[in-house]
Amino acid sequence: MLILVLTLFLILLLTGLPIVVAMGVPALIYVWVEGLPATTMAYSIYQSLNSFPLLASPLFILMGCLINEFGETEVMFSFAKSALRHAKGYTAKTNIIVSLLFAGMSGAAIADIGGLGQIEIKAMEDEGFERDYAAALTATTSMVGPLFPPSIPLIIFAVCAQISSLQALMAGALPAILITAEMYVFVSLQIRGKRLNPAKNISDGADKNLWQVTKESIHVLILVPAIIVSMLCGVFSPSEAGAAAVSYLIIIEVIRGKFRWKILKHAIIETARETAGIFIIIAVAALFTKVLTLERFPEMISNWFLSFSDNPALVILMINVMVLIVGCFMETISALTILSPILLNITGVIGMSPLQLGVILVFNLTIGMLTPPFGVGLFTVSRIAKRPMEKVLKQMLPLFIPLIIALLLISYVPFFTTWLPSLL
């Protein structure tokens, strides 16, 4: 029966049907054929969503929507441009820095691409970069979004792994900074050999006085550090931090005279759509995972992995390769929900911290968002840039080098993922 479930799942997935259908249909057929009580399966779905840490997800999504709707992304971009305006290729470097700043306000790579993509691509093109390269860099730098706190995928992993959501969020902070630093160095080396011919009409963000831009943006720049410090000091839980951040944004926009009920309404509607999509995937993935567990699939995969070798370094490499491949075909949230219980069995044997596994999983799956055939990040940035996907991908390939180096460091140096949570 397990072979039938997995085969049907792969067929439905490869035919391009929504991931909810690909997981839900085989699971429901299994329940019907095996004669399992519907109440048991319904309870599994209920349990997957009945989690207090999950409350943080819609709150952080709402925070990111408000940042976008109130135009604070442009404010952040102007600040970063002014700070780096004297360097060659400053718009590319700004792209990298702003992605880290915005990551702490959206918690998702697609939100980064959608919220900042057009601004970043236009600015780079104005400085003289090719549009394909600008699009490729914009998509690649968005990879810090799902890692830097507040991270929605890490919250979901914490729920799946039954670990502290606060520790899971903190585990992603240093890796995100590491990725940003590597990207900055790599891109700086890349642009040394580029001949940039800037257009005449460069946006005025880089021409403003740094102090002036800092005063205009300080209210949003302090938001993420405040969230992280408040959680580290035990003032707020992740859910409370999300609620406090939303309240702060609304109050500050009222004070600045930018608040509009229409903006708040639109942000709430977008949040409801995003949250509903995520929670439906979690619920169906929980049902599918329950079916796999009943068929002892996690144990089979664990035994298969460990039969090759019990060398932790080799096992970690195999996990990375497998998750990278899965990330090319599956959406991040569903893959997290399915893979977490399977891989926790394996990493428990080799002594890897669940926190480290969570960061490895999220980062791997996020890289998969840039790769065909189902690379939603690649499709999104190609659509925003209005450029052929294959040309954007060609410019993106060298940018995978710092991502893979960062992945290896995170995989084999536990310090990056465990040090900050150990301070809690």
Side-chain angles (χ1 to χ4, degrees):
M1 193 62 189
L2 175 63
I3 295 175
L4 177 62
V5 168
L6 293 176
T7 302
L8 184 56
F9 167 69
L10 290 173
I11 291 172
L12 294 174
L13 186 65
L14 293 174
T15 53
L17 288 169
I19 187 67
V20 172
V21 176
M23 293 187 297
V25 170
L28 291 175
I29 290 175
Y30 178 88
V31 171
W32 176 65
V33 171
E34 294 293 322
L36 298 175
T39 52
T40 302
M41 308 312 289
Y43 183 66
S44 297
I45 294 174
Y46 168 76
Q47 274 189 314
S48 69
L49 297 176
N50 184 30
S51 172
F52 180 73
L54 277 181
L55 281 176
S57 298
L59 290 168
F60 286 132
I61 292 171
L62 178 57
M63 182 182 74
C65 287
L66 289 174
I67 291 286
N68 262 335
E69 295 292 330
F70 285 121
E72 301 297 355
T73 48
E74 290 88 344
V75 172
M76 287 190 298
F77 195 75
S78 294
F79 166 77
K81 283 175 69 178
S82 295
L84 298 168
R85 66 186 183 276
H86 297 300
K88 178 185 177 182
Y90 73 94
T91 53
K93 296 171 182 177
T94 298
N95 192 326
I96 298 167
I97 299 301
V98 172
S99 289
L100 180 65
L101 294 175
F102 190 65
M105 300 172 192
S106 66
I110 298 303
D112 188 345
I113 296 171
L116 288 165
Q118 290 182 340
I119 304 170
E120 292 172 331
I121 292 168
K122 182 182 183 303
M124 287 183 65
E125 197 173 24
D126 285 342
E127 195 187 355
F129 286 98
E130 294 178 11
R131 192 170 183 84
D132 294 333
Y133 179 78
L137 183 63
T138 298
T140 309
T141 56
S142 70
M143 294 303 97
V144 297
L147 289 180
F148 197 69
S151 161
I152 296 166
L154 283 176
I155 291 173
I156 292 169
F157 172 80
V159 173
C160 295
Q162 297 183 341
I163 60 175
S164 165
S165 58
L166 176 55
Q167 287 194 324
L169 287 174
M170 292 301 109
L174 277 184
I177 294 171
L178 171 68
I179 296 163
T180 303
E182 286 193 18
M183 287 296 301
Y184 192 94
V185 172
F186 185 82
V187 169
S188 298
L189 294 174
Q190 269 194 320
I191 62 180
R192 279 187 178 183
K194 288 184 179 290
R195 292 186 178 182
L196 304 179
N197 300 306
K200 292 181 181 179
N201 298 320
I202 297 179
S203 63
D204 63 350
D207 299 329
K208 292 183 180 179
N209 179 274
L210 179 59
W211 174 240
Q212 177 190 350
V213 178
T214 303
K215 287 192 296 183
E216 293 174 358
S217 57
I218 190 65
H219 64 282
V220 69
L221 293 176
I222 64 172
L223 182 56
V224 173
I227 290 173
I228 294 174
V229 171
S230 67
M231 290 192 295
L232 276 173
C233 296
V235 178
F236 292 133
S237 69
S239 300
E240 293 166 344
V246 169
S247 302
Y248 166 81
L249 281 171
I250 293 174
I251 292 170
I252 207 72
E253 297 301 340
V254 169
I255 294 172
R256 298 177 74 231
K258 294 176 65 177
F259 179 82
R260 300 289 184 276
W261 285 108
K262 183 170 70 173
I263 292 177
L264 179 60
K265 177 184 175 182
H266 188 263
I268 291 173
I269 292 172
E270 285 299 310
T271 301
R273 287 174 179 165
E274 290 287 329
T275 304
I278 291 172
F279 282 17
I280 288 171
I281 290 173
I282 292 173
V284 177
L287 178 60
F288 188 70
T289 304
K290 180 73 172 180
V291 169
L292 296 181
T293 303
L294 290 173
E295 289 292 309
R296 305 177 67 86
F297 184 66
E299 294 177 30
M300 291 167 56
I301 293 294
S302 178
N303 293 334
W304 181 78
F305 260 81
L306 298 174
S307 67
F308 278 95
S309 174
D310 56 1
N311 185 330
L314 184 57
V315 172
I316 291 171
L317 179 62
M318 292 168 63
I319 289 173
N320 275 311
V321 172
M322 184 189 77
V323 180
L324 275 171
I325 294 171
V326 170
C328 296
F329 294 90
M330 285 188 70
E331 185 272 337
T332 301
I333 302 303
S334 52
L336 264 179
T337 310
I338 293 171
L339 290 177
S340 295
I342 295 173
L343 295 181
L344 282 167
N345 284 341
I346 300 170
T347 54
V349 174
I350 63 174
M352 177 188 284
S353 165
L355 298 172
Q356 187 178 5
L357 173 63
V359 174
I360 291 172
L361 261 176
V362 171
F363 189 29
N364 264 305
L365 293 171
T366 308
I367 292 175
M369 292 171 61
L370 300 178
T371 54
F374 300 113
V376 63
L378 179 59
F379 289 130
T380 302
V381 79
S382 298
R383 187 180 68 250
I384 289 174
K386 298 178 181 177
R387 296 296 298 162
M389 187 186 70
E390 59 273 13
K391 291 189 176 181
V392 175
L393 180 60
K394 182 180 178 181
Q395 293 288 342
M396 191 183 291
L397 290 176
L399 297 172
F400 279 104
I401 295 173
L403 295 182
I404 297 301
I405 293 173
L407 177 59
L408 292 174
L409 286 172
I410 294 166
S411 299
Y412 292 104
V413 184
F415 168 83
F416 290 111
T417 51
T418 57
W419 177 70
L420 200 53
S422 71
L423 301 180
L424 296 173

